[in-house]
């Protein structure tokens, strides 16, 4: 049975409950995760996990396009790839040619924006979202602002567990300073909410029946 058919079945008894559950899901708040480390020396990690107050967490790892793992570095600029000074990675700063930063989220997210550091207006960036269906967006010009918005692109409203950000051109280089996402409730979380609300509705009806019987017998 699909999720949609389960929802239709539940809607027969809990129409009001469904409206409540979905309005709660739609109200998911955007979460900005800041990867920068101001005032601290650069450090290197095989992987690094960030936790948000909302409970969402994300683990960052680095690799080449060929799948060879590389350490990531964290500095005042955010996340780069490599074991040397963050100002010089393969002769260029941050994430450079043929390097990919992977962000593995604890739940599916919709990406709103990615914030870059030390990116020129001519740098290109490539994205890949891995979720139920993988989609890529290649060689996007960052522009001078250093902010890339997914709004209006083919990746808008795509829900993904893993976000990959890479530099594919020889002269591209940048750091990932932060990412703005919206966590998406899992279908079974929604179904659980519906079940609980449906049970509550049933209990209320049973209570009202008993009260009516008591009143009629009095």
């Amino acid at each position: 049975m699909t999720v949609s058919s389960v929802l239709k079945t539940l809607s027969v008894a809990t129409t009001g409950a469904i409206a409540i559950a979905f309005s709660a899901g739609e109200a998911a708040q955007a979460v900005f995760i800041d990867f920068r480390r101001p005032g601290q020396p650069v450090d290197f990690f095989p992987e690094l996990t960030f936790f948000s107050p909302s409970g969402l967490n994300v683990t960052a790892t680095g690799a080449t396009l060929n799948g060879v793992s590389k350490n990531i570095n964290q500095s005042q600029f955010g996340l780069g790839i490599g074991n040397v000074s963050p100002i010089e990675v393969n002769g260029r700063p941050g994430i450079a040619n043929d390097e990919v930063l992977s962000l593995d989220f604890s739940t599916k997210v919709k990406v709103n924006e990615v914030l870059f550091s030390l990116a020129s207006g001519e740098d290109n960036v490539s994205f890949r979202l891995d979720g139920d269906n993988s989609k890529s967006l290649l060689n996007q010009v960052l522009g001078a602002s250093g902010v890339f918005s997914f709004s209006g692109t083919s990746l808008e409203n795509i829900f993904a567990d893993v976000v990959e950000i890479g530099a594919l051109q020889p002269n591209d280089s940048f750091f990932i300073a932060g990412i703005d996402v919206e966590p998406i409730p899992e279908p079974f979380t929604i179904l659980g909410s519906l079940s609980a609300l449906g049970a509550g509705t049933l209990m209320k009806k049973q209570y009202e029946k008993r009260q009516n019987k008591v009143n009629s017998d009095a």
Side-chain angles (χ1 to χ4, degrees), residues 11-152:
S11 69
V12 174
T14 59
T15 303
I18 289 176
I20 294 171
F22 277 102
S23 64
E26 291 166 359
Q29 296 296 311
V31 177
F32 180 74
I33 300 179
D34 195 337
F35 300 134
R36 292 167 292 190
R37 195 181 186 193
Q40 299 294 321
V42 62
D43 211 344
F44 309 94
F45 310 89
E47 65 177 42
L48 188 59
T49 300
F50 298 82
F51 300 89
S52 73
S54 67
L56 177 70
N57 61 66
V58 57
T59 299
T61 55
T64 67
L65 286 178
N66 294 326
V68 179
S69 297
K70 299 183 74 171
N71 277 357
I72 58 174
N73 60 66
Q74 185 188 25
S75 69
Q76 61 181 319
F77 306 113
L79 297 179
I81 295 177
N83 286 321
V84 296
S85 165
I87 305 302
E88 289 293 331
V89 176
N90 297 332
R92 295 174 298 278
I95 300 168
N97 184 33
D98 292 337
E99 294 176 335
V100 177
L101 182 78
S102 294
L103 301 173
D104 190 346
F105 289 87
S106 56
T107 188
K108 284 184 173 62
V109 298
K110 180 184 79 170
V111 181
N112 295 324
E113 293 180 338
V114 180
L115 177 63
F116 295 84
S117 294
L118 297 188
S120 74
E122 299 178 354
D123 281 326
N124 294 279
V125 61
S126 295
F127 300 96
R128 177 181 171 85
L129 302 185
D130 286 331
D132 296 332
N133 296 295
S134 297
K135 295 198 70 171
S136 298
L137 189 62
L138 303 179
N139 297 326
Q140 301 297 300
V141 178
L142 282 178
S145 70
V147 177
F148 187 86
S149 173
F150 279 37
S151 177

Side-chain angles (χ1 to χ4, degrees), residues 132-175:
D132 296 332
N133 296 295
S134 297
K135 295 198 70 171
S136 298
L137 189 62
L138 303 179
N139 297 326
Q140 301 297 300
V141 178
L142 282 178
S145 70
V147 177
F148 187 86
S149 173
F150 279 37
S151 177
T153 74
S154 61
L155 301 185
E156 183 180 14
N157 295 323
I158 299 295
F159 309 146
D161 301 294
V162 179
V163 179
E164 296 180 348
I165 306 171
L168 304 186
Q169 301 299 319
N171 295 320
D172 294 337
S173 58
F174 42 76
F175 289 90

Side-chain angles (χ1 to χ4, degrees), residues 1-19 21-22 187-199 201:
M1 183 178 285
T2 64
V3 171
S4 59
S5 63
V6 172
L7 292 179
K8 286 178 182 177
T9 302
L10 286 172
S11 69
V12 174
T14 59
T15 303
I18 289 176
F22 277 102
F188 286 105
T189 301
I190 296 174
L191 290 177
S193 300
L194 293 176
S195 299
L197 288 166
T201 302

